[in-house]
Amino acid sequence: MDAAGPRSSLRGALCSLLLTLMLFSFACKACKKVIFNIPSKLEADKMVGRVNLKECLRSADLIQLSDPDFRVLDDGSVYTANTIVLSDEKRSFTLWLSDTKKQTRKEITVLLEHQKKVLRKRHTKETVLRRSKRRWAPIPCSMQENSLGPFPLFLQQVQSDAAQNYTVFYSISGRGVDQEPLNLFFIEKDTGNLFCTRPVDREEYDIFDLIAYASTADGYSADLPLPLPIRVEDENDNHPLFTEQIYNFEVPESSKLGTTVGVVCATDRDEPDTMHTRLKYSILEQTPRSPGIFSVHPKTGVITIVSNYLDREVVDKYKLIMKVQDMDGQFFGLMSTSTCLITVKDSNDNAPAFKENTYEVSVEENAFNVEILRIPIEDKDLINTANWRANFTILKGNENGHFKISTDKKTNEGVLCVVKPLNYEENHQVILEIGVGNEAPFSRDSALRTTTMNRALVTVHVRDQDEGPECNPAAQYVRIKENSVVGSNINGYKAYDPETKSSNGLRYKKLHDPEGWITIDEISGSIKTSKILDREAAIPRNNLYNITVLATDKDGRSCTGTLVVNVEDVNDNAPKILQDYLVVCKPKMGYTDISAVDPDEPIHGAPFYFSLANTSPEINKIWTLSKINDTAARLTYRKNADFQEYNIPITVKDRAGQSATKTLRVNLCDCTHPSQCVVTKRSAGASLGKWAILAILLGIALLFSVLLTLVCGVVGAKKKKGFPEDLAQQNLIISNTEAPGDDKVCSGNGFMTQTVNNSSQGLCGTMGSGVKNGGQEIIEMVKGGHQTLESCRGHHHTLDSCRGGHVEMDNSRYTYSEWHNFTQPRLHEKLHLCNQNEDHIPSQDYILTYNYEGRGSPAGSVGCCSEKQEEDGLDFLNNLEAKFTSLAETCTKG
């Protein structure tokens, strides 16, 4: 008890600690102690023994160990977690089993003792076992499927070498023991005899992998668990089965020998690669029975054709009863059957045939688009397929295209129609040869048997009718020379009666004559010219002139035809020079080209011959002609030719001698482009042109401005020296102030202006900077002595060019005589320059121009010739007001 007291206290403390950690309160009860004998050293993951956990606590769901060097499995097997060395002869640890639901707990003390090398003492009641030494190794084992017993059926005995030293108990686990199927196998604990309790189906379980254990009474396992596979030997207990109960195949009737129809397949659940699953296929029965057409390969199940008697028109479906048998077809093998339905597909192996070889039919002449005959045929191939539908062809007799044959899709008959009128007078009957085939081509074997197309003859009788006149040919041609005399007789249009082949009794009438050139004789149909024919005037298409003629018989029946008049050309037109007026820019252009055309036929046309007509000696000295090609010539001038307009007569003649003379106006001009001379010619057409009128008007306006300024200055001088500011705003804009310059006035005797040639003169021009921008100018005049047009062209003037300081405004006043003497010479000079040569002398104002001041003024230039090149901008001069128009007329008369 004393010794038990401390042990109980320790156990209680451990239980309390464990329960505190698990937050449960358990009542700890001890199970019996377990003792394992082990060697002094055990490696990791070695089995120590097995503890019967169910005897201690069957409902345990939690297992714990007090020693981390060991681990326990759910079945109670104890293994080393680390390498164990027993320094003493004993070592112990505790196993706790807990049921968390019932809150119960039990413990098992495991004691490990050092294994002694001497045999343990045998108990007096223990039976002495005398066994021969055996190996603990897998033993091959098998059992027969579906065995009849007796059960339990002994399979084999399992023994361990440890039985020589200990009393060993045997146990097994695995599928068939503690796994489905449960309790199929068991082993005698003491003897190791293995038994089977009932029959086994190999197709469900072909092998059982059992594990055998050998342990001592105290649970020690000296040997590792032994794998024990038990193989179930197969028995031929399964019939082979086809994959389908009914097979459906199709095969063309034109198939060759050896053609594959289909494949049948069967399976057997018995063990593969044995006689139980070696299958053999065969045909039990064919319907209809004779002749045998199909064969099946005994191993693969491939059905093939072995006969040439496959004909859909005879038999379109076959039924085969297929058999499969295991054991390689031996009589004792298991078998099963299946049905195979084979449909024979149609091939075009039957040619269509006419029911009759000859047909006769009649039709009235002139009838068309009418059905005259239906031709039935026979075809044994499948109805409403391409092998059955017929294609008819007219092989002979339809060279003129009077007939057409088609197929009626419903009845498969040939429908013969007349599509072009027949003429009884030409042919009383027509014999047609009709051939027939199918839409689908014939099969190869059938083509060999059928060498020719099936044919039939159709005789078509044409019935006569009383017909009207016939205009044949529809277009008849006549030739008439151009310029023929009015009233010339020419053969006209001829129609005829198809019955009599004569034109007697027919009447003719002209329906359409575009130019009214002819008249037609009502009885004979001949024509006369009513006008002179002009081929070039009418411009007929391809020189052909069409006239529509109506022919009528006594019964009023009629036909229409076309009389095609071929107008023969006559050389009645001379060549014509295309040009009238030419401009030649000297010296840039050394020549000009001229060309001619002739409306007559080419035979009366080119090549043309150009020459100068009766011209003056002056023209002959200056101008020469040379040939370029058949229709053009080159007119060249000599270098000493003057700038002026020349009238040059030129004669052109065609190959037949027809000629014409034309006077060309050639303007030899000093220019760079002919358009410039055209402007000059138009401007210089009057004695006093637009520019002269414009110069006069501007000069008068400027003169009035100067006079008005002088008058205002004289009036202002009486009141105050200088110009009043309001006068400047009403009349003249003072341009002395121009940004960025300063407002300065130069003395008339104290500064020099800079001219174009940088020379200094006693003259004052303007102050500030100026520019001529876009044809706009600002003009200012001050006193400074005589000044010419050239001296006033200063490009840039600054205040540095003016010396003398500030002066009073009265120093800049002029008398009327001074302004008159200053302006009159310059106006006359300007007018003279503008009228002298307006195209070649640049127009510039005679007063100083200013430099650039920013954006240009919207006002135009006041110069008379500054914008002369802008020809298109002077159209306003043609629409002047009444006062200016009267002034222009006065100037022109002067």
Side-chain angles (χ1 to χ4, degrees), residues 878-889:
N878 297 324
N879 299 299
L880 297 175
E881 296 180 358
K883 295 180 181 180
F884 287 92
T885 304
S886 301
L887 180 58
E889 293 176 354

Side-chain angles (χ1 to χ4, degrees), residues 179-198:
Q179 301 176 22
E180 290 294 337
L182 297 174
N183 303 322
L184 179 61
F185 301 99
F186 72 91
I187 190 171
E188 290 182 346
K189 179 178 180 181
D190 298 327
T191 63
N193 291 331
L194 182 64
F195 293 91
C196 178
T197 61
R198 58 183 181 270

Side-chain angles (χ1 to χ4, degrees), residues 47-148:
M47 185 174 180
V48 176
R50 182 181 296 175
V51 179
N52 193 344
L53 302 179
K54 293 183 179 182
E55 290 183 359
C56 183
L57 184 60
R58 182 175 295 275
S59 62
D61 56 5
L62 179 64
I63 304 174
Q64 293 176 311
L65 284 173
S66 62
D67 194 339
D69 289 334
F70 299 91
R71 59 185 177 88
V72 62
L73 304 181
D74 292 340
D75 62 348
S77 300
V78 180
Y79 287 83
T80 57
N82 302 305
T83 301
I84 302 300
V85 178
L86 293 179
S87 57
D88 297 331
E89 291 185 356
K90 294 182 179 181
R91 181 174 176 174
S92 65
F93 59 90
T94 304
L95 243 168
W96 288 288
L97 305 178
S98 302
D99 187 347
T100 57
K101 295 181 180 180
K102 297 180 180 181
Q103 296 186 358
T104 57
R105 181 176 180 182
K106 292 186 178 182
E107 66 178 22
I108 301 175
T109 301
V110 179
L111 180 63
L112 302 179
E113 293 182 352
H114 181 61
Q115 179 181 348
K116 298 180 180 179
K117 295 188 178 180
V118 295
L119 294 175
R120 58 185 173 83
K121 295 181 179 180
R122 179 178 60 85
H123 194 271
T124 55
K125 295 183 180 180
E126 184 177 350
T127 304
V128 178
L129 299 177
R130 300 179 181 275
R131 302 187 181 113
S132 60
K133 184 176 180 180
R134 296 179 182 270
R135 293 182 303 129
W136 180 254
I139 302 173
C141 181
S142 63
M143 61 176 294
Q144 187 67 34
E145 179 187 15
N146 300 325
S147 175
L148 299 179

Side-chain angles (χ1 to χ4, degrees), residues 35 101 194 266 302 358 511 570 586 612 634 645 723 867 882:
I35 301 174
K101 295 181 180 180
L194 182 64
V302 177
T358 59
L511 293 181
V570 176
K586 178 184 177 184
L612 295 174
R634 179 162 295 168
E645 184 175 301
F723 288 103
E867 292 300 314

Side-chain angles (χ1 to χ4, degrees), residues 673-700:
H673 191 273
S675 61
Q676 296 174 337
C677 287
V678 174
V679 174
T680 302
K681 171 183 175 295
R682 184 167 55 238
S683 300
S687 60
L688 189 60
K690 297 177 182 178
W691 290 110
I693 296 173
L694 180 60
I696 293 172
L697 295 177
L698 294 178
I700 294 172

Side-chain angles (χ1 to χ4, degrees), residues 418-439:
V418 177
V419 295
K420 184 178 177 181
L422 294 167
N423 193 337
Y424 174 82
E425 289 72 25
E426 292 181 357
N427 204 345
H428 297 335
Q429 71 175 18
V430 180
I431 299 177
L432 302 177
E433 184 177 353
I434 309 296
V436 64
N438 290 120
E439 290 183 0

Side-chain angles (χ1 to χ4, degrees), residues 694-707 827 887 891:
L694 180 60
I696 293 172
L697 295 177
L698 294 178
I700 294 172
L702 183 59
L703 181 58
F704 285 157
S705 299
V706 173
L707 293 176
L827 287 174
L887 180 58
C891 294

